[in-house]
Amino acid sequence: MCGIVGATSRTGAVLEGMIEGLRVLEYRGYDSCGVAVADGERIEIRRKVGRLSELEKLLVDGALSNARIGVGHTRWATHGKPSDENAHPHSDGSGRLALVHNGIIENYLELRKELQAEGRVFTSETDTEVLSHLVGRELARGASLIDAVRAALRRVHGYYAIAVMANGANGGLVCARQGPPLVVATTADAAYLGSDVLALLPYTRDVVYLEDGDVAELAPGFARITDIHGAARERAVRRITWDAEQASKGGYPHFMLKEIHEQPDVLARTAFDRILSTSGDVSFEHGDWDDARLRALQRIQVVACGTALHAGYVARYLIEHLARIPVDLDFASEFRYRDPRLVEHTMALAVSQSGETADTLAALRLARELGAWPVSVCNVMGSTVVRESQATILTHAGPEIGVASTKAFTAQVVAVFLLAVRLGRARGVLSVEQGRRLLDELRCLRPRMEALLAPHSVERVGEVARGHLDAKGFFFLGRGVNFPIALEGALKLKEISYVHAEGYAAGEMKHGPIALISKGMPIVVVNSPGAVADKVRSNLHEVKARGGHVICVGSDRESFELADEVIEVPQTIEPLSAVLNVIPLQLFAYHHALARGCDIDKPRNLAKSVTVE
Ligand code: F6R
């Protein structure tokens, strides 16, 4: 949720780089932010509610510009409202240390009472402040910073990524991970840490992902990793192959728009190398995808959240249709608490862009404990979900910065299509010829996506989206593989334009929600030729008869004749229509939000990666 940076350098100032690091991490949380730096004996903390630009105003005096060690934070509030006092870094009032934290300390109330009883004074409502006091208490007793942090962490329950700096003889820079991600790197003259590798890319491409229970001590040119008891831990250095440029806006006004436009390339990167044309099959790199294992599967249990869950719905449709394996699907947050039962030979399939979503991770772990084979579709190599899966299909969407997920969703849908084909081939449901036809059609999507992203097509969607700025609410309807696309279209719109939008299975409308339709209400109907196209057309009639203003998205020409407005999408086979139909819906949300003056890349109340429950 929150973004964390830290740096220590022998030769240069660290503040400017940390601010740049926070800028790229702002997508993780942006209700307040702060930095702490040490200049000689002094630790200076500056923090502010609001965006990074507010913090920068506090730094214009240049007083902290030469500091060689520091930590920084951009926050998404969990304990305590967004305010200057609750913003990180936190201290213990001694002026000796500063600490930033992402996560939740579950026993903080109990610890807070204990520390208050010793006369320690708290100045915020956060759970984080107990950590600063626990570390401060150990430092005051003469412990080194690394020992003080380890001792503090042995007292807490919960999950965290933290970075702590202290001055004086037993000072330094230390970070630790139990849950939320943390990455460290060293260069000849410096050491860096960040909650996302993006913050480290300006310095190096060789990074170390900390694992749960790791505590890292950093000094210029040096990093040592131990566990919370001090036992050494070895961690491999990983080379990042994409560069910071790929994570910048590249001339687009917003990351979301840039990411929407990247989708033809994302399709190619995620799919094309994996297609085995001769055998009409697919090969995956990470894990054991043998026919025997896939043939033994009895069931697939998908766990995911939000947009990733919508890709899971597509997976259900595709896998049941193309591989004939029953698929169950749950919100990860529900699965983990509903005392689930799994049959033998179940694949637990976690779908996640970040690979760090707390609920998805917990659901995957639970499914594994219940005997399932843990598999993931994930965009971040080295993420916790990937590390805890026995097999992974990496989506090669590249870094996704816009909070509203777009290209990562498309990549997930493409990945689960590949999975469905692989399963269908392994289990003999699909012949070589059928496999080939499906995969050939997948290849053909690229030019069709490009057509959808051509300026005139984008402008057409913009025109329609701007035509409904006064609407109080929207329905998005679909069936079959386009039902999750309706859900996704509605989610995108509500996330970034704050308009109420409901995604619904078109056939369910008459069981209640149709009562909400009033004259002129915009109803986006997603329909492409296939098994349910005529059913959707009947549902379209139903909403039109109640005065709904129908905007038809898709390639079903017969629906166009019934609609008030049309956004035409190139045709493809029914199982792949989801990949194309979602693109105009992403653009619809984008243009609607733009016209309403919303902050597209940083919508209110949201964060990119939800690493708390
Ligand atoms: C919506 C969105 C969220 C995420 C959800 C899961 O645009 O991005 O709904 O899909 O928080 O995140 P990941 O995929 O990182 O597990």
Side-chain angles (χ1 to χ4, degrees), residues 120-147:
R120 291 191 161 263
V121 178
F122 283 73
T123 56
S124 79
E125 302 158 320
T126 64
D127 52 341
T128 303
E129 210 182 346
V130 300
L131 277 171
S132 355
H133 281 281
L134 286 172
V135 175
R137 181 166 73 179
E138 297 300 321
L139 286 176
R141 291 172 180 162
S144 65
L145 180 61
I146 181 81
D147 284 338

Side-chain angles (χ1 to χ4, degrees), residues 319-586:
I319 293 171
E320 292 195 337
H321 182 60
L322 299 175
R324 299 270 185 269
I325 307 176
V327 180
D328 293 320
L329 183 89
D330 266 283
F331 295 109
S333 54
E334 286 298 314
F335 179 81
R336 58 188 292 200
Y337 292 116
R338 74 166 164 80
D339 194 14
R341 305 290 94 199
L342 297 182
V343 296
E344 246 194 300
H345 300 297
T346 293
M347 172 201 283
L349 181 63
V351 185
S352 176
Q353 187 285 127
S354 62
E356 304 293 350
T357 301
D359 283 320
T360 305
L361 189 56
L364 183 69
R365 284 177 180 155
L366 175 62
R368 191 184 51 198
E369 278 162 27
L370 294 172
W373 176 39
V375 174
S376 54
V377 168
C378 188
N379 198 36
V380 182
M381 166 132 74
S383 64
T384 316
V385 163
V386 170
R387 288 203 310 268
E388 299 206 7
S389 302
Q390 285 171 10
T392 294
I393 305 170
L394 282 173
T395 48
H396 296 298
E400 190 179 60
I401 308 294
V403 166
S405 184
T406 52
K407 63 175 181 170
F409 173 75
T410 316
Q412 287 160 355
V413 172
V414 169
V416 298
F417 176 82
L418 294 175
L419 174 61
V421 172
R422 174 75 201 97
L423 290 167
R425 290 288 294 113
R427 295 164 72 91
V429 178
L430 296 175
S431 65
V432 174
E433 201 39 52
Q434 285 168 318
R436 269 195 209 138
R437 271 206 301 273
L438 288 162
L439 295 165
D440 283 351
E441 197 64 34
L442 183 66
R443 280 186 187 282
C444 294
L445 288 190
R446 192 177 191 186
R448 294 173 195 171
M449 280 180 161
E450 278 161 358
L452 277 171
L453 293 165
H456 67 276
S457 311
V458 174
E459 189 35 42
R460 167 74 190 137
V461 181
E463 212 176 82
V464 179
R466 287 187 294 271
H468 298 279
L469 292 179
D470 294 336
K472 298 275 177 292
F474 286 77
F475 267 110
F476 285 71
L477 307 180
R479 291 181 84 142
V481 74
N482 283 305
F483 162 51
I485 297 311
L487 294 178
E488 179 59 7
L491 179 64
K492 286 293 87 96
L493 187 64
K494 55 191 151 195
E495 271 183 297
I496 60 168
S497 65
Y498 320 140
V499 177
H500 185 240
E502 284 284 346
Y504 238 86
E508 264 299 293
M509 284 297 283
K510 55 184 161 303
H511 298 290
I514 203 163
L516 290 172
I517 294 181
S518 55
K519 192 163 164 35
M521 182 183 194
I523 318 282
V524 179
V525 177
V526 188
N527 199 14
S528 286
V532 288
D534 57 336
K535 306 282 173 212
V536 177
R537 256 176 261 134
S538 310
N539 303 138
L540 192 161
H541 275 295
E542 288 158 12
V543 294
K544 211 167 154 49
R546 271 89 191 162
H549 176 97
V550 173
I551 303 164
C552 187
V553 175
S555 49
D556 181 59
R557 300 196 149 271
E558 289 181 51
S559 300
F560 296 169
E561 283 158 29
L562 309 169
D564 297 290
E565 290 177 281
V566 172
I567 298 174
E568 188 170 353
V569 174
Q571 198 169 339
T572 179
I573 51 172
E574 188 185 11
L576 285 172
S577 59
V579 182
L580 296 183
N581 288 342
V582 76
I583 294 176
L585 300 189
Q586 297 166 342

Side-chain angles (χ1 to χ4, degrees), residues 106-307:
E106 285 161 1
N107 57 338
Y108 83 103
L109 281 175
E110 176 194 312
L111 291 169
R112 191 173 162 125
K113 277 194 202 126
E114 171 187 320
L115 290 155
Q116 280 170 329
E118 292 171 14
R120 291 191 161 263
V121 178
F122 283 73
T123 56
S124 79
E125 302 158 320
T126 64
D127 52 341
T128 303
E129 210 182 346
V130 300
L131 277 171
S132 355
H133 281 281
L134 286 172
V135 175
R137 181 166 73 179
E138 297 300 321
L139 286 176
R141 291 172 180 162
S144 65
L145 180 61
I146 181 81
D147 284 338
V149 170
R150 286 194 203 111
L153 295 180
R154 289 196 294 268
R155 295 293 316 280
V156 302
H157 306 306
Y159 43 103
Y160 48 77
I162 59 165
V164 199
M165 59 181 283
N167 62 5
N170 52 355
L173 180 63
V174 167
C175 61
R177 171 186 183 174
Q178 178 64 42
L182 205 52
V183 193
V184 299
T186 53
T187 60
D189 295 315
Y192 303 95
L193 65 95
S195 48
D196 188 315
V197 72
L198 283 174
L200 306 188
L201 286 181
Y203 310 110
T204 177
R205 290 179 173 210
D206 294 320
V207 305
V208 173
Y209 287 88
L210 296 192
E211 296 194 13
D212 282 355
D214 286 355
V215 186
E217 189 180 7
L218 303 178
F222 167 90
R224 179 165 48 213
I225 301 173
T226 59
D227 67 13
I228 59 167
H229 302 288
R233 284 182 157 185
E234 290 296 319
R235 297 285 172 241
V237 175
R238 288 171 197 266
R239 172 143 275 242
I240 303 302
T241 49
W242 42 266
D243 56 29
E245 178 54 29
Q246 279 178 273
S248 77
K249 281 189 208 152
Y252 287 92
H254 298 98
F255 281 113
M256 182 179 178
L257 190 61
K258 175 192 173 230
E259 289 161 4
I260 290 173
H261 279 269
E262 282 172 357
Q263 291 178 110
D265 289 341
V266 168
L267 161 72
R269 288 203 300 266
T270 300
F272 293 175
D273 282 356
R274 290 170 165 155
I275 294 176
L276 305 173
S277 303
T278 323
S279 55
D281 207 335
V282 172
S283 80
F284 296 125
E285 315 80 44
H286 304 275
D288 165 15
W289 295 97
D290 273 4
D291 285 3
R293 182 186 263 280
L294 302 184
R295 274 200 293 264
L297 286 174
Q298 294 293 323
R299 241 183 153 79
I300 295 180
Q301 170 68 55
V302 178
V303 288
C305 306
T307 286

Side-chain angles (χ1 to χ4, degrees), residues 1 27-29 353-354 400-405 606-610:
M1 307 296 270
Y27 73 95
R28 295 181 68 94
Q353 187 285 127
S354 62
E400 190 179 60
I401 308 294
V403 166
S405 184
L606 294 177
K608 183 69 185 160
S609 176
V610 186

Side-chain angles (χ1 to χ4, degrees), residues 14-29:
V14 296
L15 182 65
E16 201 182 318
M18 286 200 322
I19 295 292
E20 287 318 307
L22 289 178
R23 207 180 307 287
V24 295
L25 295 186
E26 231 190 340
Y27 73 95
R28 295 181 68 94

